[in-house]
Amino acid sequence: MHDEHICRQVVELILGVRIGKIRYLSAQDEHKTDPDSMRIIMDVFLRDENRIINVEVQTGHKKELPKRSRYYQSVADVSTTSTGTKYRDLPENILIFICTFDPFDRDFPRYTFQYICNEDKRLKLKDGSLRIFLNTKATELSALDQKLQAFYHYLQDGVVESDLTQTISDSITTLKNNSIERRHYMTLALKMADIEYDAYENGFDRGHEAGLQAGLQQGLEQGAHQNKLETARNLLAEGVASQIVARCTGLPMETIHQLIQED
């Protein structure tokens, strides 16, 4: 998707419209609204004359996906809007999640969300925001355009049925054979971002349960410690050296060795 030719075709296929000249395109683009805010790393972020578009590939069924989509869109707005911009000049804000699972358990091949009025479903807010979730595991694809069906088949089974999927397949083969690009694609920093977030969730849940029994402060402390332990376990599972794990998590080497022995 960092290839402009492929990115354009995929986005236009999903949206069903042509996009303008791409002014900016980045893979693994880091966004942060201020020093104290939660950072996000967008899989693919692009801008044309009228839109900002974020494309995310989601392989794990995470329960916070709807709120994550809300945060991603808000950060995309704030991080790309300069001082003095008029509200009327805000570009369309489109977020696309390509999910290798059914995010809403309705077996629809795609879920499209826009704001509408509860009192009159015909009334749309028309604020320029759009969220699309693709369910690549959908069993019924007949409602989709044939080229989009071919894209789904490729994501489901690796079957090449169109010029676009052939181009994608060739590009992936090239990337796999290019050691420099492969190392760039899978860096420790990006692994850490995902691992830390998952560990935070697990640690928070465990800490919350403990806090209900032994008091809020104790629960928060246990949650923070569980966060470190989960992060360490995941890093060790990825083959990261124990010294680096200790440095990243702040845990003593004795604890790291105990985690290694647990396995």
Side-chain angles (χ1 to χ4, degrees), residues 14-61:
I14 294 171
L15 295 180
V17 297
R18 293 186 63 81
I19 61 175
K21 178 180 174 58
I22 294 180
R23 295 164 45 192
Y24 178 81
L25 172 62
S26 177
Q28 302 299 334
D29 207 43
E30 182 173 343
H31 289 251
K32 202 172 184 182
T33 55
D34 63 67
D36 296 323
S37 67
M38 180 171 66
R39 71 167 186 161
I40 59 175
I41 299 176
M42 297 183 176
D43 287 347
V44 179
F45 185 76
L46 66 100
R47 298 191 66 172
D48 70 357
E49 291 95 335
N50 305 306
R51 307 173 183 88
I52 52 177
I53 302 173
N54 174 208
V55 183
E56 296 291 316
V57 178
Q58 190 67 44
T59 59
H61 200 331

mmCIF file of all heavy atoms in Angstrom, residues 14-61:
data_model
loop_
_atom_site.group_PDB
_atom_site.id
_atom_site.type_symbol
_atom_site.label_atom_id
_atom_site.label_comp_id
_atom_site.label_asym_id
_atom_site.label_seq_id
_atom_site.Cartn_x
_atom_site.Cartn_y
_atom_site.Cartn_z
ATOM 1 N N ILE A 14 -12.538 0.223 -3.027
ATOM 2 C CA ILE A 14 -13.351 0.153 -1.804
ATOM 3 C C ILE A 14 -14.386 1.266 -1.757
ATOM 4 O O ILE A 14 -15.548 1.046 -1.403
ATOM 5 C CB ILE A 14 -12.444 0.197 -0.561
ATOM 6 C CG1 ILE A 14 -11.564 -1.061 -0.491
ATOM 7 C CG2 ILE A 14 -13.279 0.344 0.712
ATOM 8 C CD1 ILE A 14 -10.496 -1.005 0.576
ATOM 9 N N LEU A 15 -13.970 2.484 -2.139
ATOM 10 C CA LEU A 15 -14.875 3.634 -2.060
ATOM 11 C C LEU A 15 -15.845 3.697 -3.236
ATOM 12 O O LEU A 15 -16.911 4.310 -3.138
ATOM 13 C CB LEU A 15 -14.070 4.936 -1.998
ATOM 14 C CG LEU A 15 -13.195 5.144 -0.758
ATOM 15 C CD1 LEU A 15 -12.475 6.483 -0.847
ATOM 16 C CD2 LEU A 15 -14.018 5.076 0.510
ATOM 17 N N GLY A 16 -15.464 3.100 -4.360
ATOM 18 C CA GLY A 16 -16.324 3.166 -5.540
ATOM 19 C C GLY A 16 -16.291 4.501 -6.233
ATOM 20 O O GLY A 16 -17.186 4.820 -7.027
ATOM 21 N N VAL A 17 -15.278 5.321 -5.942
ATOM 22 C CA VAL A 17 -15.124 6.631 -6.593
ATOM 23 C C VAL A 17 -13.642 6.845 -6.900
ATOM 24 O O VAL A 17 -12.768 6.217 -6.301
ATOM 25 C CB VAL A 17 -15.625 7.792 -5.694
ATOM 26 C CG1 VAL A 17 -17.107 7.649 -5.424
ATOM 27 C CG2 VAL A 17 -14.840 7.850 -4.386
ATOM 28 N N ARG A 18 -13.378 7.716 -7.843
ATOM 29 C CA ARG A 18 -11.998 8.066 -8.151
ATOM 30 C C ARG A 18 -11.523 9.118 -7.161
ATOM 31 O O ARG A 18 -12.273 10.028 -6.781
ATOM 32 C CB ARG A 18 -11.878 8.598 -9.580
ATOM 33 C CG ARG A 18 -12.151 7.545 -10.646
ATOM 34 C CD ARG A 18 -11.865 8.085 -12.033
ATOM 35 N NE ARG A 18 -10.466 8.444 -12.200
ATOM 36 C CZ ARG A 18 -9.491 7.577 -12.479
ATOM 37 N NH1 ARG A 18 -9.769 6.290 -12.614
ATOM 38 N NH2 ARG A 18 -8.242 7.975 -12.624
ATOM 39 N N ILE A 19 -10.293 8.982 -6.710
ATOM 40 C CA ILE A 19 -9.717 9.998 -5.833
ATOM 41 C C ILE A 19 -8.800 10.886 -6.664
ATOM 42 O O ILE A 19 -8.365 10.513 -7.762
ATOM 43 C CB ILE A 19 -8.949 9.374 -4.653
ATOM 44 C CG1 ILE A 19 -7.777 8.498 -5.136
ATOM 45 C CG2 ILE A 19 -9.890 8.558 -3.790
ATOM 46 C CD1 ILE A 19 -6.910 7.967 -4.007
ATOM 47 N N GLY A 20 -8.521 12.083 -6.134
ATOM 48 C CA GLY A 20 -7.716 13.040 -6.882
ATOM 49 C C GLY A 20 -6.227 12.732 -6.787
ATOM 50 O O GLY A 20 -5.812 11.668 -6.326
ATOM 51 N N LYS A 21 -5.436 13.684 -7.204
ATOM 52 C CA LYS A 21 -3.981 13.537 -7.152
ATOM 53 C C LYS A 21 -3.535 13.363 -5.708
ATOM 54 O O LYS A 21 -3.897 14.141 -4.831
ATOM 55 C CB LYS A 21 -3.309 14.773 -7.756
ATOM 56 C CG LYS A 21 -1.787 14.736 -7.704
ATOM 57 C CD LYS A 21 -1.197 15.987 -8.327
ATOM 58 C CE LYS A 21 0.313 16.020 -8.156
ATOM 59 N NZ LYS A 21 0.993 14.849 -8.748
ATOM 60 N N ILE A 22 -2.777 12.303 -5.439
ATOM 61 C CA ILE A 22 -2.308 12.030 -4.073
ATOM 62 C C ILE A 22 -1.190 13.014 -3.725
ATOM 63 O O ILE A 22 -0.130 13.020 -4.356
ATOM 64 C CB ILE A 22 -1.821 10.577 -3.944
ATOM 65 C CG1 ILE A 22 -3.002 9.617 -4.132
ATOM 66 C CG2 ILE A 22 -1.187 10.355 -2.571
ATOM 67 C CD1 ILE A 22 -2.637 8.145 -4.029
ATOM 68 N N ARG A 23 -1.457 13.856 -2.733
ATOM 69 C CA ARG A 23 -0.480 14.857 -2.309
ATOM 70 C C ARG A 23 0.460 14.327 -1.238
ATOM 71 O O ARG A 23 1.566 14.836 -1.066
ATOM 72 C CB ARG A 23 -1.212 16.092 -1.770
ATOM 73 C CG ARG A 23 -2.031 16.832 -2.826
ATOM 74 C CD ARG A 23 -3.037 17.786 -2.195
ATOM 75 N NE ARG A 23 -2.457 18.564 -1.115
ATOM 76 C CZ ARG A 23 -3.179 19.286 -0.255
ATOM 77 N NH1 ARG A 23 -4.493 19.309 -0.356
ATOM 78 N NH2 ARG A 23 -2.585 19.980 0.692
ATOM 79 N N TYR A 24 0.015 13.311 -0.502
ATOM 80 C CA TYR A 24 0.828 12.766 0.584
ATOM 81 C C TYR A 24 0.447 11.307 0.782
ATOM 82 O O TYR A 24 -0.733 10.958 0.788
ATOM 83 C CB TYR A 24 0.584 13.538 1.879
ATOM 84 C CG TYR A 24 1.353 13.015 3.076
ATOM 85 C CD1 TYR A 24 2.686 13.359 3.281
ATOM 86 C CD2 TYR A 24 0.749 12.161 3.992
ATOM 87 C CE1 TYR A 24 3.397 12.867 4.369
ATOM 88 C CE2 TYR A 24 1.446 11.665 5.086
ATOM 89 C CZ TYR A 24 2.772 12.028 5.264
ATOM 90 O OH TYR A 24 3.474 11.531 6.334
ATOM 91 N N LEU A 25 1.446 10.445 0.921
ATOM 92 C CA LEU A 25 1.212 9.030 1.151
ATOM 93 C C LEU A 25 2.303 8.492 2.054
ATOM 94 O O LEU A 25 3.488 8.684 1.785
ATOM 95 C CB LEU A 25 1.199 8.254 -0.172
ATOM 96 C CG LEU A 25 1.154 6.720 -0.079
ATOM 97 C CD1 LEU A 25 -0.129 6.261 0.611
ATOM 98 C CD2 LEU A 25 1.261 6.093 -1.467
ATOM 99 N N SER A 26 1.903 7.849 3.140
ATOM 100 C CA SER A 26 2.887 7.308 4.070
ATOM 101 C C SER A 26 2.384 6.015 4.666
ATOM 102 O O SER A 26 1.193 5.870 4.969
ATOM 103 C CB SER A 26 3.173 8.317 5.188
ATOM 104 O OG SER A 26 4.079 7.777 6.137
ATOM 105 N N ALA A 27 3.297 5.059 4.846
ATOM 106 C CA ALA A 27 2.986 3.817 5.563
ATOM 107 C C ALA A 27 3.577 3.905 6.957
ATOM 108 O O ALA A 27 4.650 4.469 7.157
ATOM 109 C CB ALA A 27 3.559 2.612 4.804
ATOM 110 N N GLN A 28 2.863 3.340 7.932
ATOM 111 C CA GLN A 28 3.285 3.398 9.336
ATOM 112 C C GLN A 28 3.527 4.835 9.778
ATOM 113 O O GLN A 28 4.572 5.179 10.318
ATOM 114 C CB GLN A 28 4.531 2.526 9.556
ATOM 115 C CG GLN A 28 4.358 1.067 9.188
ATOM 116 C CD GLN A 28 3.286 0.374 10.008
ATOM 117 O OE1 GLN A 28 2.997 0.777 11.122
ATOM 118 N NE2 GLN A 28 2.684 -0.661 9.443
ATOM 119 N N ASP A 29 2.550 5.674 9.523
ATOM 120 C CA ASP A 29 2.638 7.106 9.809
ATOM 121 C C ASP A 29 2.252 7.368 11.265
ATOM 122 O O ASP A 29 1.155 7.013 11.696
ATOM 123 C CB ASP A 29 1.686 7.860 8.875
ATOM 124 C CG ASP A 29 2.134 9.282 8.618
ATOM 125 O OD1 ASP A 29 3.333 9.487 8.411
ATOM 126 O OD2 ASP A 29 1.282 10.187 8.618
ATOM 127 N N GLU A 30 3.155 7.975 12.039
ATOM 128 C CA GLU A 30 2.881 8.243 13.457
ATOM 129 C C GLU A 30 2.179 9.580 13.614
ATOM 130 O O GLU A 30 2.589 10.582 13.045
ATOM 131 C CB GLU A 30 4.174 8.238 14.265
ATOM 132 C CG GLU A 30 3.927 8.477 15.748
ATOM 133 C CD GLU A 30 5.179 8.307 16.604
ATOM 134 O OE1 GLU A 30 6.152 7.704 16.106
ATOM 135 O OE2 GLU A 30 5.163 8.766 17.753
ATOM 136 N N HIS A 31 1.112 9.578 14.399
ATOM 137 C CA HIS A 31 0.343 10.794 14.657
ATOM 138 C C HIS A 31 0.171 10.985 16.158
ATOM 139 O O HIS A 31 -0.101 10.038 16.897
ATOM 140 C CB HIS A 31 -1.041 10.718 14.001
ATOM 141 C CG HIS A 31 -1.018 10.817 12.511
ATOM 142 N ND1 HIS A 31 -1.464 11.912 11.815
ATOM 143 C CD2 HIS A 31 -0.564 9.952 11.576
ATOM 144 C CE1 HIS A 31 -1.315 11.724 10.528
ATOM 145 N NE2 HIS A 31 -0.774 10.528 10.352
ATOM 146 N N LYS A 32 0.311 12.238 16.585
ATOM 147 C CA LYS A 32 0.147 12.576 17.997
ATOM 148 C C LYS A 32 -0.296 14.028 18.059
ATOM 149 O O LYS A 32 0.315 14.904 17.439
ATOM 150 C CB LYS A 32 1.475 12.371 18.729
ATOM 151 C CG LYS A 32 1.340 12.172 20.221
ATOM 152 C CD LYS A 32 2.678 11.773 20.835
ATOM 153 C CE LYS A 32 2.509 11.482 22.307
ATOM 154 N NZ LYS A 32 3.790 11.127 22.941
ATOM 155 N N THR A 33 -1.366 14.304 18.801
ATOM 156 C CA THR A 33 -1.888 15.668 18.826
ATOM 157 C C THR A 33 -1.115 16.579 19.763
ATOM 158 O O THR A 33 -1.026 17.773 19.530
ATOM 159 C CB THR A 33 -3.376 15.654 19.238
ATOM 160 O OG1 THR A 33 -3.509 14.976 20.499
ATOM 161 C CG2 THR A 33 -4.212 14.920 18.192
ATOM 162 N N ASP A 34 -0.538 16.029 20.835
ATOM 163 C CA ASP A 34 0.294 16.810 21.739
ATOM 164 C C ASP A 34 1.183 15.846 22.529
ATOM 165 O O ASP A 34 0.962 14.636 22.497
ATOM 166 C CB ASP A 34 -0.557 17.693 22.681
ATOM 167 C CG ASP A 34 -1.438 16.874 23.605
ATOM 168 O OD1 ASP A 34 -0.891 16.168 24.477
ATOM 169 O OD2 ASP A 34 -2.668 16.935 23.457
ATOM 170 N N PRO A 35 2.191 16.350 23.239
ATOM 171 C CA PRO A 35 3.150 15.454 23.919
ATOM 172 C C PRO A 35 2.530 14.473 24.897
ATOM 173 O O PRO A 35 3.082 13.400 25.134
ATOM 174 C CB PRO A 35 4.083 16.441 24.642
ATOM 175 C CG PRO A 35 3.996 17.699 23.848
ATOM 176 C CD PRO A 35 2.583 17.769 23.359
ATOM 177 N N ASP A 36 1.389 14.832 25.487
ATOM 178 C CA ASP A 36 0.786 13.970 26.500
ATOM 179 C C ASP A 36 -0.321 13.067 25.955
ATOM 180 O O ASP A 36 -0.895 12.277 26.704
ATOM 181 C CB ASP A 36 0.206 14.822 27.637
ATOM 182 C CG ASP A 36 1.297 15.585 28.384
ATOM 183 O OD1 ASP A 36 2.383 15.011 28.559
ATOM 184 O OD2 ASP A 36 1.053 16.736 28.773
ATOM 185 N N SER A 37 -0.625 13.182 24.680
ATOM 186 C CA SER A 37 -1.717 12.386 24.119
ATOM 187 C C SER A 37 -1.222 11.012 23.688
ATOM 188 O O SER A 37 -0.031 10.783 23.507
ATOM 189 C CB SER A 37 -2.344 13.106 22.922
ATOM 190 O OG SER A 37 -1.417 13.172 21.850
ATOM 191 N N MET A 38 -2.163 10.091 23.528
ATOM 192 C CA MET A 38 -1.821 8.741 23.091
ATOM 193 C C MET A 38 -1.442 8.773 21.614
ATOM 194 O O MET A 38 -2.195 9.278 20.784
ATOM 195 C CB MET A 38 -3.014 7.804 23.306
ATOM 196 C CG MET A 38 -2.760 6.363 22.882
ATOM 197 S SD MET A 38 -4.103 5.244 23.390
ATOM 198 C CE MET A 38 -5.474 5.868 22.393
ATOM 199 N N ARG A 39 -0.276 8.225 21.282
ATOM 200 C CA ARG A 39 0.157 8.210 19.890
ATOM 201 C C ARG A 39 -0.496 7.045 19.161
ATOM 202 O O ARG A 39 -0.873 6.037 19.756
ATOM 203 C CB ARG A 39 1.675 8.074 19.784
ATOM 204 C CG ARG A 39 2.191 6.703 20.173
ATOM 205 C CD ARG A 39 3.624 6.508 19.764
ATOM 206 N NE ARG A 39 4.032 5.119 20.029
ATOM 207 C CZ ARG A 39 5.064 4.529 19.482
ATOM 208 N NH1 ARG A 39 5.815 5.193 18.637
ATOM 209 N NH2 ARG A 39 5.366 3.282 19.752
ATOM 210 N N ILE A 40 -0.648 7.205 17.853
ATOM 211 C CA ILE A 40 -1.141 6.117 17.026
ATOM 212 C C ILE A 40 -0.240 5.991 15.805
ATOM 213 O O ILE A 40 0.381 6.965 15.371
ATOM 214 C CB ILE A 40 -2.601 6.330 16.573
ATOM 215 C CG1 ILE A 40 -2.733 7.634 15.762
ATOM 216 C CG2 ILE A 40 -3.538 6.330 17.750
ATOM 217 C CD1 ILE A 40 -4.116 7.836 15.192
ATOM 218 N N ILE A 41 -0.126 4.783 15.286
ATOM 219 C CA ILE A 41 0.640 4.538 14.070
ATOM 220 C C ILE A 41 -0.332 4.028 13.017
ATOM 221 O O ILE A 41 -0.879 2.930 13.145
ATOM 222 C CB ILE A 41 1.773 3.520 14.299
ATOM 223 C CG1 ILE A 41 2.749 4.058 15.349
ATOM 224 C CG2 ILE A 41 2.514 3.233 12.997
ATOM 225 C CD1 ILE A 41 3.858 3.103 15.714
ATOM 226 N N MET A 42 -0.583 4.835 12.000
ATOM 227 C CA MET A 42 -1.548 4.485 10.968
ATOM 228 C C MET A 42 -0.869 3.631 9.901
ATOM 229 O O MET A 42 0.210 3.964 9.416
ATOM 230 C CB MET A 42 -2.136 5.754 10.345
ATOM 231 C CG MET A 42 -2.923 6.612 11.317
ATOM 232 S SD MET A 42 -3.667 8.050 10.522
ATOM 233 C CE MET A 42 -4.590 8.764 11.896
ATOM 234 N N ASP A 43 -1.525 2.525 9.551
ATOM 235 C CA ASP A 43 -0.941 1.621 8.556
ATOM 236 C C ASP A 43 -0.675 2.352 7.245
ATOM 237 O O ASP A 43 0.424 2.303 6.703
ATOM 238 C CB ASP A 43 -1.873 0.432 8.310
ATOM 239 C CG ASP A 43 -1.871 -0.549 9.470
ATOM 240 O OD1 ASP A 43 -0.980 -0.433 10.342
ATOM 241 O OD2 ASP A 43 -2.746 -1.418 9.513
ATOM 242 N N VAL A 44 -1.703 2.991 6.714
ATOM 243 C CA VAL A 44 -1.555 3.767 5.477
ATOM 244 C C VAL A 44 -2.326 5.065 5.638
ATOM 245 O O VAL A 44 -3.507 5.049 5.991
ATOM 246 C CB VAL A 44 -2.100 3.002 4.247
ATOM 247 C CG1 VAL A 44 -1.946 3.850 2.988
ATOM 248 C CG2 VAL A 44 -1.385 1.673 4.075
ATOM 249 N N PHE A 45 -1.667 6.175 5.385
ATOM 250 C CA PHE A 45 -2.305 7.485 5.509
ATOM 251 C C PHE A 45 -2.028 8.269 4.236
ATOM 252 O O PHE A 45 -0.877 8.385 3.801
ATOM 253 C CB PHE A 45 -1.763 8.244 6.728
ATOM 254 C CG PHE A 45 -2.459 9.549 6.976
ATOM 255 C CD1 PHE A 45 -3.722 9.580 7.539
ATOM 256 C CD2 PHE A 45 -1.859 10.753 6.638
ATOM 257 C CE1 PHE A 45 -4.374 10.786 7.773
ATOM 258 C CE2 PHE A 45 -2.502 11.962 6.866
ATOM 259 C CZ PHE A 45 -3.756 11.981 7.434
ATOM 260 N N LEU A 46 -3.090 8.807 3.623
ATOM 261 C CA LEU A 46 -2.895 9.563 2.390
ATOM 262 C C LEU A 46 -3.841 10.750 2.337
ATOM 263 O O LEU A 46 -4.871 10.788 3.007
ATOM 264 C CB LEU A 46 -3.092 8.661 1.166
ATOM 265 C CG LEU A 46 -4.492 8.107 0.905
ATOM 266 C CD1 LEU A 46 -5.184 8.930 -0.183
ATOM 267 C CD2 LEU A 46 -4.430 6.656 0.458
ATOM 268 N N ARG A 47 -3.455 11.705 1.500
ATOM 269 C CA ARG A 47 -4.277 12.891 1.275
ATOM 270 C C ARG A 47 -4.352 13.157 -0.211
ATOM 271 O O ARG A 47 -3.357 13.044 -0.939
ATOM 272 C CB ARG A 47 -3.680 14.124 1.963
ATOM 273 C CG ARG A 47 -3.569 14.047 3.460
ATOM 274 C CD ARG A 47 -3.230 15.390 4.056
ATOM 275 N NE ARG A 47 -4.315 16.355 3.865
ATOM 276 C CZ ARG A 47 -4.344 17.562 4.428
ATOM 277 N NH1 ARG A 47 -3.353 17.952 5.194
ATOM 278 N NH2 ARG A 47 -5.341 18.380 4.207
ATOM 279 N N ASP A 48 -5.542 13.507 -0.690
ATOM 280 C CA ASP A 48 -5.646 14.080 -2.022
ATOM 281 C C ASP A 48 -6.166 15.504 -1.861
ATOM 282 O O ASP A 48 -6.090 16.075 -0.769
ATOM 283 C CB ASP A 48 -6.520 13.212 -2.940
ATOM 284 C CG ASP A 48 -8.010 13.236 -2.571
ATOM 285 O OD1 ASP A 48 -8.368 13.888 -1.563
ATOM 286 O OD2 ASP A 48 -8.801 12.603 -3.272
ATOM 287 N N GLU A 49 -6.703 16.097 -2.898
ATOM 288 C CA GLU A 49 -7.121 17.497 -2.776
ATOM 289 C C GLU A 49 -8.278 17.697 -1.805
ATOM 290 O O GLU A 49 -8.422 18.760 -1.191
ATOM 291 C CB GLU A 49 -7.545 18.044 -4.158
ATOM 292 C CG GLU A 49 -6.406 18.216 -5.135
ATOM 293 C CD GLU A 49 -6.261 17.007 -6.051
ATOM 294 O OE1 GLU A 49 -6.685 15.897 -5.632
ATOM 295 O OE2 GLU A 49 -5.734 17.157 -7.162
ATOM 296 N N ASN A 50 -9.136 16.677 -1.661
ATOM 297 C CA ASN A 50 -10.365 16.857 -0.900
ATOM 298 C C ASN A 50 -10.544 15.907 0.273
ATOM 299 O O ASN A 50 -11.515 16.039 1.019
ATOM 300 C CB ASN A 50 -11.575 16.679 -1.838
ATOM 301 C CG ASN A 50 -11.517 17.590 -3.041
ATOM 302 O OD1 ASN A 50 -11.380 18.790 -2.899
ATOM 303 N ND2 ASN A 50 -11.600 17.012 -4.233
ATOM 304 N N ARG A 51 -9.618 14.960 0.455
ATOM 305 C CA ARG A 51 -9.836 13.924 1.460
ATOM 306 C C ARG A 51 -8.569 13.609 2.235
ATOM 307 O O ARG A 51 -7.469 13.751 1.710
ATOM 308 C CB ARG A 51 -10.319 12.617 0.807
ATOM 309 C CG ARG A 51 -11.515 12.723 -0.090
ATOM 310 C CD ARG A 51 -11.760 11.389 -0.783
ATOM 311 N NE ARG A 51 -12.861 11.437 -1.718
ATOM 312 C CZ ARG A 51 -12.724 11.788 -2.997
ATOM 313 N NH1 ARG A 51 -11.530 12.104 -3.471
ATOM 314 N NH2 ARG A 51 -13.772 11.819 -3.790
ATOM 315 N N ILE A 52 -8.773 13.160 3.476
ATOM 316 C CA ILE A 52 -7.728 12.447 4.194
ATOM 317 C C ILE A 52 -8.263 11.032 4.383
ATOM 318 O O ILE A 52 -9.412 10.840 4.777
ATOM 319 C CB ILE A 52 -7.366 13.105 5.546
ATOM 320 C CG1 ILE A 52 -8.605 13.359 6.419
ATOM 321 C CG2 ILE A 52 -6.621 14.397 5.329
ATOM 322 C CD1 ILE A 52 -8.277 13.939 7.784
ATOM 323 N N ILE A 53 -7.431 10.044 4.079
ATOM 324 C CA ILE A 53 -7.878 8.653 4.090
ATOM 325 C C ILE A 53 -6.883 7.816 4.872
ATOM 326 O O ILE A 53 -5.683 7.855 4.625
ATOM 327 C CB ILE A 53 -8.011 8.095 2.659
ATOM 328 C CG1 ILE A 53 -8.987 8.949 1.838
ATOM 329 C CG2 ILE A 53 -8.483 6.638 2.692
ATOM 330 C CD1 ILE A 53 -9.033 8.564 0.366
ATOM 331 N N ASN A 54 -7.398 7.076 5.835
ATOM 332 C CA ASN A 54 -6.582 6.167 6.642
ATOM 333 C C ASN A 54 -7.059 4.747 6.383
ATOM 334 O O ASN A 54 -8.244 4.459 6.521
ATOM 335 C CB ASN A 54 -6.715 6.546 8.117
ATOM 336 C CG ASN A 54 -6.013 5.580 9.054
ATOM 337 O OD1 ASN A 54 -6.421 5.426 10.188
ATOM 338 N ND2 ASN A 54 -4.961 4.918 8.606
ATOM 339 N N VAL A 55 -6.144 3.857 5.992
ATOM 340 C CA VAL A 55 -6.485 2.455 5.748
ATOM 341 C C VAL A 55 -5.748 1.604 6.767
ATOM 342 O O VAL A 55 -4.521 1.670 6.871
ATOM 343 C CB VAL A 55 -6.106 2.018 4.317
ATOM 344 C CG1 VAL A 55 -6.537 0.571 4.088
ATOM 345 C CG2 VAL A 55 -6.734 2.935 3.275
ATOM 346 N N GLU A 56 -6.499 0.815 7.526
ATOM 347 C CA GLU A 56 -5.922 -0.054 8.546
ATOM 348 C C GLU A 56 -6.238 -1.508 8.228
ATOM 349 O O GLU A 56 -7.362 -1.827 7.829
ATOM 350 C CB GLU A 56 -6.506 0.282 9.931
ATOM 351 C CG GLU A 56 -6.184 1.665 10.432
ATOM 352 C CD GLU A 56 -4.709 1.835 10.777
ATOM 353 O OE1 GLU A 56 -4.140 0.928 11.417
ATOM 354 O OE2 GLU A 56 -4.140 2.871 10.397
ATOM 355 N N VAL A 57 -5.254 -2.378 8.411
ATOM 356 C CA VAL A 57 -5.476 -3.817 8.282
ATOM 357 C C VAL A 57 -5.533 -4.400 9.687
ATOM 358 O O VAL A 57 -4.578 -4.287 10.449
ATOM 359 C CB VAL A 57 -4.361 -4.490 7.462
ATOM 360 C CG1 VAL A 57 -4.608 -5.995 7.391
ATOM 361 C CG2 VAL A 57 -4.301 -3.908 6.060
ATOM 362 N N GLN A 58 -6.677 -4.996 10.036
ATOM 363 C CA GLN A 58 -6.885 -5.497 11.390
ATOM 364 C C GLN A 58 -7.035 -7.008 11.353
ATOM 365 O O GLN A 58 -7.984 -7.535 10.765
ATOM 366 C CB GLN A 58 -8.146 -4.861 11.992
ATOM 367 C CG GLN A 58 -8.340 -5.119 13.461
ATOM 368 C CD GLN A 58 -7.276 -4.443 14.312
ATOM 369 O OE1 GLN A 58 -6.935 -3.295 14.081
ATOM 370 N NE2 GLN A 58 -6.755 -5.151 15.288
ATOM 371 N N THR A 59 -6.101 -7.732 11.986
ATOM 372 C CA THR A 59 -6.140 -9.193 11.962
ATOM 373 C C THR A 59 -6.615 -9.794 13.274
ATOM 374 O O THR A 59 -6.963 -10.964 13.312
ATOM 375 C CB THR A 59 -4.738 -9.772 11.645
ATOM 376 O OG1 THR A 59 -3.815 -9.311 12.645
ATOM 377 C CG2 THR A 59 -4.267 -9.308 10.277
ATOM 378 N N GLY A 60 -6.642 -9.005 14.338
ATOM 379 C CA GLY A 60 -7.091 -9.506 15.642
ATOM 380 C C GLY A 60 -8.428 -8.899 16.004
ATOM 381 O O GLY A 60 -8.643 -7.697 15.836
ATOM 382 N N HIS A 61 -9.351 -9.710 16.469
ATOM 383 C CA HIS A 61 -10.692 -9.233 16.814
ATOM 384 C C HIS A 61 -10.650 -8.526 18.157
ATOM 385 O O HIS A 61 -10.755 -9.155 19.212
ATOM 386 C CB HIS A 61 -11.672 -10.404 16.863
ATOM 387 C CG HIS A 61 -13.104 -9.987 16.747
ATOM 388 N ND1 HIS A 61 -13.569 -8.764 17.180
ATOM 389 C CD2 HIS A 61 -14.189 -10.614 16.219
ATOM 390 C CE1 HIS A 61 -14.864 -8.665 16.956
ATOM 391 N NE2 HIS A 61 -15.266 -9.778 16.363
#
